[in-house]
C-alpha cells in the first residue's frame, strides 16, 4: 500500500477558505438578483463604514477574505446565517 502525505501551509488553508467563501457569497448574491454594488451598499448601511464594490469582487474571486467585522454584515445583507457562508466542513467524506 502506498501512502502519500502532503502538508498544507496555513497560507494555503486561508486561500482555500477565501475561495470557498467567495463562491458562496457570489452564488447567494446572484440568487437574490443583487449586484456587487447592491451588496456593498447594503453592507455599508449595516456597518456604517464605506465599502466599495471592488471589495465584493475581491471576496468573490477569493483574492481576500472578508474582514471578521464584515462577515455578519455580509450574511445579514444577503439574508442568510453567517454559518451558511463562512463555516467550513469539519469532515471530509470519501465518495
Amino acid at each position: 500500500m502506498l501512502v502519500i502525505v502532503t502538508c498544507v501551509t496555513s497560507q494555503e488553508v486561508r486561500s482555500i477558505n477565501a475561495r470557498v467563501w467567495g463562491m458562496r457569497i457570489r452564488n447567494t448574491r446572484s440568487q437574490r438578483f443583487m449586484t456587487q454594488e447592491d451588496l456593498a451598499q447594503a453592507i455599508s448601511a449595516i456597518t456604517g463604514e464605506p465599502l466599495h464594490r471592488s471589495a465584493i469582487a475581491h471576496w468573490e474571486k477569493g483574492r481576500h477574505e472578508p474582514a471578521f467585522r464584515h462577515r455578519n454584515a455580509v450574511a445579514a445583507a444577503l439574508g442568510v446565517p453567517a454559518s451558511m457562508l463562512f463555516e467550513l466542513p469539519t469532515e471530509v467524506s470519501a465518495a
Side-chain angles (χ1 to χ4, degrees):
M1 175 167 80
L2 175 66
V3 176
I4 299 174
V5 177
T6 59
C7 294
V8 179
T9 66
S10 61
Q11 182 61 34
E12 290 169 324
V13 170
R14 288 181 62 101
S15 177
I16 292 167
N17 290 353
R19 283 181 277 166
V20 169
W21 294 346
M23 287 187 308
R24 290 178 184 167
I25 292 168
R26 181 180 55 243
N27 291 340
T28 306
R29 177 184 58 77
S30 295
Q31 290 170 353
R32 282 150 180 72
F33 304 102
M34 293 177 77
T35 65
Q36 290 175 340
E37 183 65 34
D38 293 336
L39 182 56
Q41 288 178 357
I43 294 168
S44 292
I46 292 167
T47 64
E49 300 174 6
L51 185 70
H52 194 269
R53 178 205 62 79
S54 62
I56 308 299
H58 285 289
W59 297 344
E60 290 182 354
K61 291 180 181 177
R63 291 183 183 150
H64 301 287
E65 294 178 6
F68 187 76
R69 70 182 184 279
H70 288 132
R71 293 180 191 171
N72 286 332
V74 172
L78 292 172
V80 298
S83 60
M84 183 180 145
L85 299 174
F86 301 112
E87 276 188 12
L88 295 173
T90 56
E91 293 182 23
V92 177
S93 59

